[in-house]
Amino acid sequence: MNLSSITLRAKMVVDKAFKIAEVDKRIYGSFIEHLGRAVYGGIYEPSHPTADSFGFRNDVKQLVKELDVPIIRYPGGNFVSGYNWEDGVGPVESRPKRLELAWRTVEPNFVGTNEFFEWAKEIDSEVMMAVNLGTRGVDAARNLLEYCNHPSGSYWSNLRRSHGYEQPHRIKTWCLGNEMDGPWQIGQKTPQEYGRLAYETAKAMRLVDPSIELVSCGSSSSSMPTFPDWEAITLDHTYDAVDYVSLHQYYGNKDNDTANYLARSMDMDHFIRTVISTCDYVKAKKRSKKTMYLSFDEWNVWYHSNSADAQIEPWSIAPPQLEDIYNFEDALLVGSMLITLLKHADRVKMACMAQLVNVIAPIMTENGGRAWKQTIFYPYLHVSKFGRGVSLQPIVDSPVYDAKDFTDVPYLDSAVVYNEADEELTIFAVNRHLQEALDFECDIRSFEGYRVTEHIVMEHEDLKAVNTADQENVKPHSNGSAACSNGFINARLSKASWNVITLRKV
């Protein structure tokens, strides 16, 4: 059979009544860890020509603002499990240099809690603060919260004021440790140990500030041998004390099987569904009326840099670690991962692309030099910009394929967001087919009077094409073919492409 002679067609029905949930904008969050050049040489470089009065790079701030990142997790990550937060406050010249055991570097503590909070304000983002439940515990966590959020009149709040911050930071969202199931983690816990510690920490923190929301550590990935028992056991302790449970997952294409690689968002979907089921099991067991929500606070592609990091000299300051250079096929998978988050908007309320700058990141920099956009910058930008509103449940009829690890993989992967206030409808779509375009038809008859305003496409003949500081090889254009007539959208979705179709009422 000559595949080139086959016309592939995919159909979809979108109705404004088929609502999943309002999208919490915090699913477009990100992550900054004291790791590699994420902080030093990434967001912070006092000697850089664009540096502001705090030492933060304005060129990086502009790129982050373009992404409109609503919340950023800080300061880790594995780093937080050995971090003494007191080292990062007060006069910078008095702060100690510490051996940082998670990544075997030296942490100079030039940037700490207050500086990061100021940077987050500059880019109009909230902070998701993580506390150390590895080498520390209840006391350090409640003291950090008092330092950050209590107005005045106590030791830690007055110390903050003496450091030049009269007003409390009022940080709302707090993570109870990081990946405590992992043998690589400093202070790894059994699920029973973590559940008890997290519960007691949550109890103390809520006594300091009842208004906060708390995230309990879930499994470090769906491949952990303790998954999903970890969630079931830890939530048995923490269910009534926390608001979210975390998920972490990274994907790679080491075997260069692109068809299988682009299907990995189906594994992400299965991971989310399993965690939801486990949460609901604990809810039923406790006869609770409370619904546990999910914080997918680490997700991305991560595999390009793994071997290179073995060459880094230990105990240096801000070496180039985990600096994946992303290609076009990585951007396609990132688009599908974002689509997967939108499909679960009813339960996934926060998510963080890990990370934001230099370290497995959409933004790259040169020390003392330029900043530029990686390929994955664009799907992240598009969904953050257009994915505000209500996530709708599309009915999809797509041809499918089988891959090494997956069966019945739809060539069309799609999510839809309706912004009623702005009378805007957006369709996000990935064509996973590597050789053929998809003839796409979408029934939107419930959206009377809506017309296509733009069809953004990202495509490239070379799936391995990358962007550099010198040349942006992979970037979107607005020359897509989508058109609307009599309540139907028709478009041709190029082979291996990322598509954003926006419509407005006219």
Side-chain angles (χ1 to χ4, degrees), residues 177-344:
N178 173 76
E179 294 186 353
M180 300 310 301
D181 60 333
W184 58 86
Q185 202 69 212
I186 301 170
Q188 179 194 11
K189 305 287 190 292
T190 67
Q192 292 84 358
E193 289 170 340
Y194 173 75
R196 286 290 303 129
L197 176 58
Y199 172 75
E200 292 298 336
T201 304
K203 185 169 68 176
M205 292 178 73
R206 289 200 188 278
L207 288 171
V208 176
D209 184 352
S211 71
I212 61 173
E213 55 184 17
L214 295 169
V215 184
S216 181
C217 276
S219 295
S220 300
S221 77
S222 59
S223 62
M224 293 298 290
T226 53
F227 174 74
D229 283 345
W230 174 274
E231 283 76 4
I233 295 168
T234 59
L235 286 174
D236 200 39
H237 294 283
T238 64
Y239 196 89
D240 295 327
V242 303
D243 306 284
Y244 307 89
V245 62
S246 71
L247 298 82
H248 293 180
Q249 191 72 53
Y250 299 95
Y251 295 110
N253 190 20
K254 286 185 177 180
D255 56 1
N256 198 29
D257 184 343
T258 301
N260 195 57
Y261 178 54
L262 295 184
R264 292 201 183 278
S265 57
M266 295 179 68
D267 179 79
M268 185 186 194
D269 180 83
H270 180 69
F271 186 18
I272 292 170
R273 291 180 186 278
T274 305
V275 174
I276 289 171
S277 298
T278 309
C279 291
D280 291 347
Y281 158 73
V282 178
K283 177 180 180 178
K285 180 181 176 182
K286 289 182 171 291
R287 312 295 197 268
S288 176
K289 294 182 180 179
K290 172 183 175 179
T291 297
M292 184 64 62
Y293 293 105
L294 278 55
S295 174
F296 213 128
D297 50 38
E298 285 190 33
W299 69 270
N300 205 345
V301 168
W302 174 15
Y303 75 104
H304 296 285
S305 63
N306 290 353
S307 58
D309 280 2
Q311 310 303 317
I312 290 171
E313 186 70 25
W315 314 126
S316 54
I317 295 176
Q321 292 174 295
L322 278 57
E323 297 198 359
D324 276 39
I325 302 302
Y326 291 113
N327 58 37
F328 175 56
E329 68 182 9
D330 298 330
L332 293 178
L333 180 58
V334 164
S336 280
M337 294 175 81
L338 287 159
I339 285 171
T340 302
L341 293 174
L342 286 172
K343 289 177 180 177
H344 291 284

Side-chain angles (χ1 to χ4, degrees), residues 416-478:
V416 182
V417 175
Y418 173 42
N419 188 325
E420 186 173 9
D422 293 338
E423 296 186 319
E424 185 172 68
L425 181 69
T426 303
I427 298 169
F428 305 101
V430 171
N431 178 7
R432 292 184 172 117
H433 203 295
L434 303 180
Q435 286 85 36
E436 298 294 330
L438 274 177
D439 283 342
F440 172 68
E441 181 185 88
C442 184
D443 181 343
I444 59 161
R445 282 177 290 179
S446 74
F447 291 90
E448 187 176 353
Y450 278 69
R451 294 291 180 268
V452 173
T453 53
E454 190 175 23
H455 179 182
I456 300 168
V457 182
M458 194 157 72
E459 56 189 340
H460 203 283
E461 282 298 320
D462 182 3
L463 290 166
K464 308 299 183 182
V466 302
N467 291 342
T468 67
D470 295 314
Q471 188 168 3
E472 191 174 50
N473 297 301
V474 182
K475 58 184 178 181
H477 62 77
S478 295

